[in-house]
Amino acid sequence: MYSFEEYKNELLQDPKLKKEWDALDPEFNEIRRIIKAKDLTQSSLPKVLH
């Protein structure tokens, strides 16, 4: 059985998939910044983003 990290690393060997994954990085970094700055929980995040 794969861990998530192992599975992700295997998938990211595909250059097309890696390019798409990397393109999402700025969006995910912004979400992480908001979560940290506002000390949000996973369940409260959707309320803030809408």
Side-chain angles (χ1 to χ4, degrees):
M1 179 182 268
Y2 285 113
S3 71
F4 174 74
E5 285 299 315
E6 291 169 330
Y7 183 64
K8 180 182 81 170
N9 290 336
E10 183 178 320
L11 290 175
L12 292 177
Q13 297 302 308
D14 178 344
K16 290 180 184 178
L17 192 131
K18 175 135 176 53
K19 181 179 177 183
E20 294 300 321
W21 179 273
D22 291 344
L24 293 173
D25 204 37
E27 183 176 344
F28 286 124
N29 285 336
E30 182 64 13
I31 292 169
R32 286 185 199 100
R33 187 191 66 75
I34 293 168
I35 291 169
K36 186 175 180 179
K38 296 185 178 271
D39 195 29
L40 298 172
T41 63
Q42 189 174 14
S43 62
S44 66
L45 182 62
K47 296 172 189 168
V48 172
L49 295 178
H50 287 266

